[in-house]
Amino acid sequence: MIGQGLVDTFHRKINYLRISITDRCNLRCLYCMPEEGVPLLGHESILSFEEILRVARVAIAMGITKVRITGGEPLVRKGLTSLIEELAALEGLRDISLTTNGVLLEKMAEELKRAGLKRLNISLDTLKADVYQRITRCGDIKRVLAGIEKARDVGFSPLKVNMVPMKGVNDGEILDFVAFAQDKDVEVRFIEFMPSREDEWRREAIIDSVDIIKTISSAYELTPLAAGEDAGPCKLFEIKGGGRCGVISPMSEHFCDTCNRLRLTADGKLRGCLFSEKERDLRSILRDEKCTDEAIAEVLRGAVHAKPEGHKYDESEDSSKNGGFKMSRVGG
Ligand code: SAM
Ligand code: SF4
């Protein structure tokens, strides 16, 4: 029966679907992609919007209430606004959010807001133009800053900025980002760096969230906030003098026992965990001409059932040793 709710083997209620709509990106962030990019999926391998909407409809009937669109860079996929519009029209979906690098946001913020997008996270790891160039290998920070302004102007609130501090790259900017949060009225979320490739970006670049908080507390008074419904794994703080910031600790403090997520990759695989290689192929089911909603529901249930109790980042062949888990395909 489709409408039975999604609860995994460890009694976690699954109500949040993250959908990667493309593996393509207009940046090449050091920690996410090699400079030359990743081998791209063929057009026919990527789920169409009709297929994504069909999965979303069934997932909502099973208890999914929140969807986040991610990638790759979601703003590079043509027709994104109409996908958001159609998702927003689905009864039962309480929240649609999107994560973007912000490069195309100045142009698109208004249409996204009008289409019904509720929340926006913008990734920005530095406030310095030269460091931005180094991290993204090709980006122009001015476009992202203009995108943030525009998103705020059209009414995305609270606007969230994701910053990944890395030793030796941008760790000197943590306090600048807190000032930025106050100044621009955005919520800055510091995310622990997750090394995912066999190169210079290894464990020594990780900055523990405890150290991030220590750095902030050296200059600002922080008051912890009670975990709100939309905080997810983020520990949030009120900054004395105005503004909020938070930390997300996928490395130092797993938040697996409260994980409510399921992920749909750009090529139609369902994953219970960012770090787990276990995937269920939904695309082949969707493309079978006899595909019923019940068949889709069965794959969703299977993926939820296979959701691991916790992530084994340290033991994961793919993530920490050969770095094969591709954030751009799975969706960060
Ligand atoms: N392109 C969009 C963007 O950059 O916001 C959406 C996809 S990106 C994969 C989603 C998030 O994953 C970004 O905030 C990015 O900083 C984060 N991310 C990617 N690789 C990461 C890594 N190795 N460690 C921590 N965060 C990472
Ligand atoms: Fe692109 Fe986002 Fe990955 Fe950077 S983090 S390369 S913007 S997908």
Side-chain angles (χ1 to χ4, degrees):
M1 283 253 310
I2 288 180
Q4 267 182 341
L6 290 166
V7 178
D8 76 2
T9 325
F10 306 97
H11 312 293
R12 294 170 297 198
K13 189 174 161 194
I14 310 304
N15 59 9
Y16 182 14
L17 181 64
R18 290 173 83 102
I19 304 175
S20 171
I21 61 166
T22 180
D23 60 335
R24 286 165 165 69
C25 189
N26 44 4
L27 297 181
R28 294 283 178 272
C29 301
L30 293 171
Y31 49 64
C32 181
M33 280 196 194
E35 189 156 13
E36 65 282 8
V38 288
L40 292 176
L41 295 164
H43 183 67
E44 66 297 337
S45 303
I46 303 271
L47 290 193
S48 68
F49 285 161
E50 291 69 32
E51 289 167 332
I52 290 174
L53 283 161
R54 185 165 186 202
V55 176
R57 266 187 219 104
V58 175
I60 292 164
M62 298 175 82
I64 294 291
T65 56
K66 303 203 296 180
V67 161
R68 175 172 295 274
I69 303 295
T70 180
E73 173 48 36
L75 267 51
V76 301
R77 182 147 177 197
K78 269 207 197 105
L80 168 65
T81 308
S82 36
L83 174 70
I84 303 280
E85 249 165 34
E86 297 207 48
L87 281 170
L90 297 181
E91 206 176 314
L93 191 59
R94 268 198 310 109
D95 188 33
I96 313 172
S97 56
L98 179 141
T99 305
T100 172
N101 61 30
V103 171
L104 299 174
L105 196 56
E106 187 181 17
K107 208 169 64 181
M108 293 182 67
E110 196 160 6
E111 59 187 88
L112 289 172
K113 182 77 186 165
R114 232 183 297 123
L117 185 67
K118 294 220 165 70
R119 296 186 300 121
L120 201 51
N121 287 46
I122 301 162
S123 307
L124 179 64
D125 299 323
T126 173
L127 297 170
K128 299 178 182 165
D130 57 330
V131 182
Y132 188 77
Q133 268 279 332
R134 181 178 163 210
I135 293 176
T136 63
R137 296 198 180 98
C138 54
D140 175 1
I141 195 172
K142 284 202 248 56
R143 298 184 68 179
V144 186
L145 295 173
I148 291 175
E149 294 288 335
K150 184 73 184 184
R152 236 194 18 205
D153 290 350
V154 301
F156 283 106
S157 172
L159 193 56
K160 293 174 187 166
V161 169
N162 294 347
M163 193 267 193
V164 179
M166 292 162 279
K167 269 187 202 139
V169 181
N170 57 356
D171 48 337
E173 292 190 61
I174 292 173
L175 292 178
D176 297 343
F177 268 87
V178 179
F180 184 77
Q182 292 195 311
D183 230 39
K184 302 284 177 192
D185 191 24
V186 296
E187 184 177 300
V188 174
R189 296 166 158 229
F190 297 97
I191 304 175
E192 279 175 359
F193 165 56
M194 298 174 267
S196 61
R197 296 181 51 229
E198 180 80 284
D199 59 12
E200 67 197 283
W201 303 105
R202 305 299 297 271
R203 298 197 152 263
E204 54 272 25
I206 300 172
I207 306 180
D208 197 300
S209 61
V210 171
D211 294 326
I212 298 172
I213 297 295
K214 262 192 212 147
T215 302
I216 304 173
S217 303
S218 68
Y220 293 89
E221 198 176 309
L222 295 180
T223 310
L225 290 166
E229 219 201 320
D230 289 329
C234 186
K235 277 193 194 140
L236 274 177
F237 299 86
E238 189 95 48
I239 309 163
K240 191 171 182 188
R244 294 179 355 160
C245 64
V247 287
I248 302 180
S249 328
M251 302 301 294
S252 65
E253 199 185 325
H254 299 180
F255 32 77
C256 307
D257 54 340
T258 56
C259 181
N260 59 353
R261 301 169 178 193
L262 202 57
R263 293 168 187 273
L264 179 61
T265 66
D267 56 347
K269 306 285 192 299
L270 274 172
R271 268 201 188 211
C273 173
L274 179 61
F275 300 103
S276 163
E277 282 304 286
K278 287 200 185 100
E279 294 182 333
R280 310 245 149 175
D281 181 18
L282 194 50
R283 189 183 65 197
S284 58
I285 307 279
L286 282 163
R287 292 186 182 173
D288 179 334
E289 58 188 30
K290 295 196 204 87
C291 173
T292 59
D293 286 355
E294 180 49 38
I296 297 169
E298 194 49 44
V299 183
L300 282 159
R301 274 193 290 271
V304 166
H305 187 74
K307 195 170 158 65
E309 184 173 14
H311 75 69
K312 310 248 184 332
Y313 189 90
D314 292 336
E315 295 143 44
S316 163
E317 267 270 307
D318 195 50
S319 57
S320 65
K321 292 204 190 101
N322 61 27
F325 102 89
K326 295 189 179 72
M327 199 77 100
S328 57
R329 174 180 156 270
V330 181

